[in-house]
Amino acid sequence: MVAPHLSSHPYRGATVLVIGLGRTGRAVARYLAACGATVRIAERRPAAELGDAIAELPPAVETFCGDDAAAAPATTASPAARAFAEGLLGGVSLVVPSPGVPVDLALLAIAAERRIAIVSEIELAARALTIPLIAITGTNGKSTTTTLVGEMLREGGERPFVGGNLGTPLISAVAVDEAGQATPATYSAGVVEVSSFQLEWVDRFHPRIGIFLNLTDDHLDRYADLDAYGETKLRLFARQGPGDVAILNGGDPWLRRHAGSLAARRIWFGEGEGVAIRADAAAIRLRLDDRDDEVYPLQRVSLAGAHNRENMMAAIVAARTFGVAAPVVRRTLESFRGLEHRLELVRERGGVRWVNDSKGTNPGAVIKSLEGHSGDVILLAGGIEKGGDYGVLRAPVARAVRHALVFGAAKAMLARTLADETAVEVVDSLETAVARAATVARPGDTVLLSPACASFDMFRDYADRGRRFKALVEALP
């Protein structure tokens, strides 16, 4: 999907349709209104469910909320839904869909038919920014790596913007003056977590340094197969040239097969032929451009596990190729404490560790979280399945999990999948799962919330789920 060409500043006087009134949609609307555009927002949810979201918008922004026609797929849209979409697009010269908006939406199909430009928020931002970007994608580890790279740059004297899919939309980094023109950057660099959804509508998005951490089954409710999912993520590198850097996981077989077409300088980390940086439990070792090895000891580093060693390797290469000094990188590794909701120790109670891994929303993330355990895990899992093969959980669960408590929309599927590997108990809620785990766990165990699923059946998002889990655990006597 290639977005039609836009001139560098076409927004003053333009009419723009933003689809979705989440955090990204609101940030885009504020930016475009500041640029002098007429902004419309289409949102499937009714205004009563949106809280203060509408109040955050500039007064002139038009909102169209609560009409299911805004979410109608192109293939099944009724005549009424199509007429609604055509009306919304009247006079529109640009459409900006939020990341969660499906690509098969009738609104987008009609916009494409009319040759209306469609761009994602990160594309919109990148066109206005002049600072170098470091962009991180992959199935798992994006948020940790993004935050760690940002800290390394900050400790190295840069003024980095850190955000993207991680939280603060990249468009928030663009300052606009009273004439609606982008002003000199407040930041010296941008470090951006990028999802496949955000890459569906990019054209000129061009990071100086791109990182692809890994690829495992995820979002296969949206993509036809793993190749379609991975090829969308590879769009992050489409505009790179020989002067740019692509940092890739050498131990990922899909990346090894598909990275040959990248024009950037490729630097491999982890395992396999030609890697520039390797790790074991004691240290990470980097060699770039025939220099002497740089050694990053791990004795005082709090990030644990093989998956975090991969994240750290990618972050080290990004920071060093950006120009951060090696001693600064070492110091940052030792001071970094990790992220909320990603293997976060909540409490030790009666010899039992309670760990919040609510961001583990796919089987690959759960597999990584179970590494290093052998029969001592009480696993809490469930929510809305995201497609793909959940059977890959069987062997890791058989090795690491003593008892599984499953809940949410996917509980029956998870129970069937894991029934032959460990003791499985189906429960109605996270509250019940925590209460049962407190009964089942014994000293030396780890109670791990690593759901392998999306959260939207029972929670606002993974963070809401993680906060609820922490509150329940802290409330245990």
Side-chain angles (χ1 to χ4, degrees), residues 387-404:
D389 180 15
Y390 279 76
V392 297
L393 288 171
R394 291 190 181 104
V397 165
R399 175 185 52 77
V401 175
R402 186 166 64 78
H403 195 101

Side-chain angles (χ1 to χ4, degrees), residues 23 27 47 53 60 62 84 105 110 114 125 145 158 163 172 179 188 200 207 243-244 262 276 370 376 408 435 445:
R23 179 162 41 193
E62 298 179 272
F84 175 81
L105 210 64
I110 295 169
R114 296 184 177 186
T145 306
E158 298 288 341
S172 303
S188 62
E200 289 170 348
D244 301 313
L262 302 188
L370 292 175
D376 61 354
D445 283 348

Side-chain angles (χ1 to χ4, degrees), residues 308-461:
N308 273 324
R309 289 198 290 274
E310 291 182 353
N311 297 336
M312 287 187 281
M313 283 188 281
I316 290 167
V317 175
R320 292 292 289 121
T321 54
F322 194 84
V324 180
V328 172
V329 172
R330 291 190 192 96
R331 186 167 67 245
T332 307
L333 287 174
E334 293 177 357
S335 63
F336 188 70
R337 291 294 172 260
L339 299 184
E340 187 180 19
H341 312 302
R342 191 67 180 105
L343 288 175
E344 175 192 12
L345 178 62
V346 178
R347 181 182 180 188
E348 292 197 25
R349 172 184 175 270
V352 176
R353 289 166 50 88
W354 293 76
V355 176
N356 169 27
D357 192 42
S358 183
K359 208 171 189 301
T361 59
N362 58 72
V366 178
I367 291 169
K368 292 286 189 182
S369 299
L370 292 175
E371 289 179 351
H373 292 276
S374 181
D376 61 354
V377 173
I378 311 299
L379 178 66
L380 279 56
I384 299 176
E385 61 182 293
K386 300 166 75 177
D389 180 15
Y390 279 76
V392 297
L393 288 171
R394 291 190 181 104
V397 165
R399 175 185 52 77
V401 175
R402 186 166 64 78
H403 195 101
L405 294 151
V406 296
F407 53 89
K411 61 187 178 184
M413 179 276 292
L414 288 170
R416 289 193 306 271
T417 302
L418 304 179
D420 292 336
E421 315 305 332
T422 191
V424 179
E425 187 174 347
V426 177
V427 297
D428 292 333
S429 65
L430 180 60
E431 288 79 0
T432 305
V434 168
R436 284 291 298 141
T439 301
V440 172
R442 58 198 184 201
D445 283 348
T446 295
V447 178
L448 174 67
L449 172 68
S450 194
C453 296
S455 59
F456 305 117
D457 56 339
M458 306 173 83
F459 303 94
R460 189 165 56 251
D461 52 27

Side-chain angles (χ1 to χ4, degrees), residues 134-440:
I134 301 173
I136 297 96
T137 197
T139 303
N140 299 305
K142 297 186 296 297
S143 295
T144 296
T145 306
T146 300
T147 307
L148 182 54
V149 172
E151 286 299 305
M152 288 174 175
L153 265 62
R154 188 173 290 112
E155 289 295 317
E158 298 288 341
R159 304 183 314 282
F161 169 88
V162 181
N165 190 60
L166 172 66
T168 306
L170 179 59
I171 198 69
S172 303
V174 184
V176 179
D177 63 21
E178 292 182 0
Q181 300 290 330
T183 59
T186 304
Y187 305 98
S188 62
V191 185
V192 194
E193 176 184 325
V194 180
S195 72
S196 59
F197 296 176
Q198 293 173 299
L199 289 163
E200 289 170 348
W201 299 104
V202 296
D203 179 19
R204 286 184 273 156
F205 179 70
H206 179 186
R208 177 187 294 179
I209 299 172
I211 299 174
F212 199 144
L213 291 167
N214 46 60
L215 190 76
T216 60
D217 283 357
D218 197 12
H219 300 304
L220 297 188
D221 52 347
R222 180 158 173 144
Y223 299 105
D225 52 31
L226 186 68
D227 282 346
Y229 172 46
E231 292 288 353
T232 304
K233 285 187 172 291
L234 280 178
R235 290 175 61 79
L236 183 144
F237 305 95
R239 286 287 181 174
Q240 286 193 316
D244 301 313
V245 175
I247 300 168
L248 310 167
N249 188 336
D252 189 288
W254 192 92
L255 277 172
R256 284 287 189 181
R257 291 195 306 271
H258 290 83
S261 62
L262 302 188
R265 173 194 179 196
R266 282 166 279 170
I267 301 178
W268 297 94
F269 67 88
E271 300 176 356
E273 183 180 354
V275 298
I277 184 166
R278 299 178 182 272
D280 55 33
I284 294 172
R285 292 172 172 82
L286 167 67
R287 174 174 289 184
L288 283 175
D289 303 324
D290 297 322
R291 305 177 209 164
D292 291 339
D293 283 3
E294 297 175 4
V295 180
Y296 299 87
L298 297 176
Q299 290 90 336
R300 288 190 267 177
V301 173
S302 63
L303 289 179
H307 64 293
N308 273 324
R309 289 198 290 274
E310 291 182 353
N311 297 336
M312 287 187 281
M313 283 188 281
I316 290 167
V317 175
R320 292 292 289 121
T321 54
F322 194 84
V324 180
V328 172
V329 172
R330 291 190 192 96
R331 186 167 67 245
T332 307
L333 287 174
E334 293 177 357
S335 63
F336 188 70
R337 291 294 172 260
L339 299 184
E340 187 180 19
H341 312 302
R342 191 67 180 105
L343 288 175
E344 175 192 12
L345 178 62
V346 178
R347 181 182 180 188
E348 292 197 25
R349 172 184 175 270
V352 176
R353 289 166 50 88
W354 293 76
V355 176
N356 169 27
D357 192 42
S358 183
K359 208 171 189 301
T361 59
N362 58 72
V366 178
I367 291 169
K368 292 286 189 182
S369 299
L370 292 175
E371 289 179 351
H373 292 276
S374 181
D376 61 354
V377 173
I378 311 299
L379 178 66
L380 279 56
I384 299 176
E385 61 182 293
K386 300 166 75 177
D389 180 15
Y390 279 76
V392 297
L393 288 171
R394 291 190 181 104
V397 165
R399 175 185 52 77
V401 175
R402 186 166 64 78
H403 195 101
L405 294 151
V406 296
F407 53 89
K411 61 187 178 184
M413 179 276 292
L414 288 170
R416 289 193 306 271
T417 302
L418 304 179
D420 292 336
E421 315 305 332
T422 191
V424 179
E425 187 174 347
V426 177
V427 297
D428 292 333
S429 65
L430 180 60
E431 288 79 0
T432 305
V434 168
R436 284 291 298 141
T439 301
V440 172

Side-chain angles (χ1 to χ4, degrees), residues 451-475:
C453 296
S455 59
F456 305 117
D457 56 339
M458 306 173 83
F459 303 94
R460 189 165 56 251
D461 52 27
Y462 77 84
D464 182 36
R465 178 172 58 193
R467 286 191 292 268
R468 182 60 183 155
F469 173 73
K470 293 197 290 183
L472 291 167
V473 172
E474 294 290 0

